[in-house]
Amino acid sequence: MVVERQSAFQRDQFCNPEVCGTGNCTLKQVVDEGQDEIRVEVEKESYDGRVIPTELVVRPIHDAVGDVVAISETFRDIPDRKAATRSMKSAVDEVKVSSEEIAESSQDISDQAIQQLESITNVSQEVSSLSATVEETRRQPTK
């Protein structure tokens, strides 16, 4: 690997051994695959043991010929972004639950409206039948 030859560090000193050499290895992606920038979320442990969500931004540094001579790795704290993402996900989940409840309520209202319409239709038919009976009774000669 080019980086190993030009660096005093061994590969596992600045690589995560779990991903080093795999398709997820940022150094491999920059050096072997020629990517200009890679952004990944990683968790870093602070000096006091807290785990902090960060974004790792990896960029190659090229010499005048265009060969990769170094790698720039920048870690940015992103706990606010993570909190905002969690908050947005929670809000979306709440809206989803609310919309499902509204859909169920709408279906209940629709079912009730259908039942009421059927009842009104039945009453209307009975009234029509009674009206016809009354008309028929009126037309009959009285004795």
Side-chain angles (χ1 to χ4, degrees):
M1 202 181 236
V2 174
V3 175
E4 286 183 38
R5 279 188 265 134
Q6 297 179 5
S7 172
F9 297 102
Q10 294 298 317
R11 176 170 38 185
D12 62 350
Q13 287 180 294
F14 56 92
C15 280
N16 180 338
E18 295 174 12
V19 295
C20 192
T22 70
N24 292 330
C25 177
T26 56
L27 294 177
K28 180 176 175 30
Q29 291 173 16
V30 168
V31 175
D32 295 345
E33 299 172 16
Q35 292 199 24
D36 292 327
E37 179 179 275
I38 298 164
R39 293 175 177 265
V40 293
E41 290 184 9
V42 295
E43 292 181 336
K44 297 295 282 182
E45 189 173 330
S46 69
Y47 65 91
D48 61 358
R50 291 179 298 127
V51 176
I52 300 171
T54 64
E55 176 185 51
L56 168 61
V57 180
V58 180
R59 293 185 184 107
I61 299 173
H62 301 277
D63 64 10
V65 181
D67 293 331
V68 176
V69 293
I71 303 286
S72 167
E73 288 188 340
T74 306
F75 290 88
R76 296 184 181 144
D77 288 356
I78 58 169
D80 292 340
R81 182 170 78 188
K82 295 294 277 187
T85 300
R86 280 191 301 273
S87 177
M88 287 171 47
K89 183 184 179 319
S90 176
V92 167
D93 290 345
E94 288 177 21
V95 167
K96 184 178 177 182
V97 167
S98 294
S99 66
E100 288 170 355
E101 290 172 354
I102 290 170
E104 288 174 13
S105 294
S106 295
Q107 185 61 49
D108 290 345
I109 291 169
S110 179
D111 291 344
Q112 290 173 5
I114 289 170
Q115 289 174 352
Q116 289 176 354
L117 181 59
E118 288 173 356
S119 295
I120 291 170
T121 301
N122 289 340
V123 168
S124 174
Q125 290 171 350
E126 289 178 23
V127 167
S128 293
S129 176
L130 288 173
S131 293
T133 303
V134 168
E135 279 298 315
E136 192 175 305
T137 306
R138 282 187 190 169
R139 289 186 189 156
Q140 289 181 357
T142 52
K143 296 184 182 178

